[in-house]
Amino acid sequence: MACSTAKSLTLLESLSIDDCEMIQEIIACEGEEIQGNIVFPKLKYLELSCLPSLASSSLAHHLLEFPVLQIVKVKKCPKMKNFCQGELSTPRLEQAHLTGDEDGELQWEGDLNTTIKHMFDEM
């Protein structure tokens, strides 16, 4: 989705993206001038599943804010090296379900970017 679209999703509470071989990033900001942060003020649940080409949720260098995000599930995303390239704020998130298979074990390395990088390094 475009940055402008992402910024308009202020009421989004749950997002699940599943089974797409082509998707490389969730928020694409190429050619867009970004003013301010991208904030998902009500998003509590995020699941990314079976996305073999996904490298990052966003390759742009901007601040992504998820003030109430509580659950993140990432499975079968073997190319994902980090959650985003820019800064990330997830103050309520303290664990993530990350796995290369269906088991979804809980992991937490202090923040979401570090947790995903750690998962990638182990694979």
Side-chain angles (χ1 to χ4, degrees), residues 17-26 49-55 76-79:
I17 301 173
D18 185 29
D19 200 23
C20 181
E21 291 186 25
M22 302 300 290
I23 194 166
Q24 295 178 353
E25 66 182 317
I26 309 301
S49 176
C50 300
L51 305 169
S53 298
L54 183 67
K76 294 187 177 180
C77 300
K79 291 188 178 178

Side-chain angles (χ1 to χ4, degrees), residues 24-69:
Q24 295 178 353
E25 66 182 317
I26 309 301
I27 302 170
C29 298
E30 286 184 36
E32 284 190 69
E33 186 174 314
I34 306 164
Q35 293 186 348
N37 306 334
I38 297 176
V39 182
F40 293 90
K42 295 190 177 199
L43 189 69
K44 293 179 183 177
Y45 177 86
L46 175 64
E47 181 173 358
L48 306 173
S49 176
C50 300
L51 305 169
S53 298
L54 183 67
S56 181
S57 65
S58 177
L59 297 173
H61 292 279
H62 51 72
L63 175 61
L64 283 178
E65 292 185 72
F66 300 90
V68 297
L69 186 63

